[in-house]
Amino acid sequence: MNTKDFQPEIFKLFDDQWGILTAGDKDAFNSMTISWGMLGTLWCMPHKGKNVCAVFVNPARYTYGFMEKSDYYTVSFFDNKKYQKALGIMGSKSGRDMDKAKASGLHPKISGAWRDLRRSRDYFCHPENLPP
């Protein structure tokens, strides 16, 4: 998805929907629910602006290690009611202890450098898009 085509109500996204953060690669990854984050545009040259996504993850979280080792991460947003059970698993269980993708039914789909979770709308994020 081109980030210019993604036109959410930004404040409602993190407040009213469940976000899933996924980091890692096709062989080893983890996903977790998130409710803290930002979407926006940073000024940069030579372009007018650069779309960015920032999330905040406690270093004690299992996903944090995958973020540290990965160049990319994905943030996906889901309908709370439709995916409540799957999101509950993603938000209450640790990937250290179980295969959350298998248990939740939300399986990664690898496409080039993109990772997204099926049945979701994703916002592609890369660390170089974030401020230092």
Side-chain angles (χ1 to χ4, degrees):
M1 167 187 286
N2 184 321
T3 57
K4 296 287 186 187
D5 296 332
F6 187 57
Q7 301 293 322
E9 293 185 51
I10 293 172
F11 294 106
K12 287 186 177 183
L13 217 62
F14 283 102
D15 286 345
D16 298 340
Q17 289 187 280
W18 288 42
I20 297 280
L21 168 68
T22 301
D25 61 33
K26 65 183 174 111
D27 298 317
F29 64 91
N30 196 59
S31 301
M32 62 180 272
T33 57
I34 57 170
S35 56
W36 300 324
M38 300 182 298
L39 300 174
T41 305
L42 290 179
W43 177 86
C44 61
M45 290 299 286
H47 307 291
K48 289 193 276 184
K50 189 165 208 91
N51 294 336
V52 296
C53 174
V55 294
F56 306 93
V57 178
N58 185 321
R61 297 294 299 261
Y62 186 54
T63 305
Y64 184 86
F66 290 96
M67 292 181 76
E68 287 290 295
K69 295 175 188 171
S70 302
D71 288 334
Y72 301 93
Y73 64 89
T74 297
V75 176
S76 308
F77 296 94
F78 293 81
D79 179 301
N80 292 1
K81 293 177 186 169
K82 189 173 182 181
Y83 297 102
Q84 184 174 10
K85 182 178 177 183
L87 296 168
I89 291 168
M90 288 291 189
S92 66
K93 307 295 182 188
S94 174
R96 286 184 184 104
D97 305 324
M98 67 182 299
D99 182 343
K100 294 195 302 184
K102 182 177 179 182
S104 70
L106 299 175
H107 300 285
K109 182 177 95 179
I110 308 301
S111 174
W114 292 60
R115 169 177 294 125
D116 59 8
L117 293 175
R118 291 184 192 139
R119 301 178 286 187
S120 68
R121 181 169 59 183
D122 298 329
Y123 188 84
F124 181 69
C125 305
H126 188 278
E128 75 182 19
N129 295 345
L130 303 177

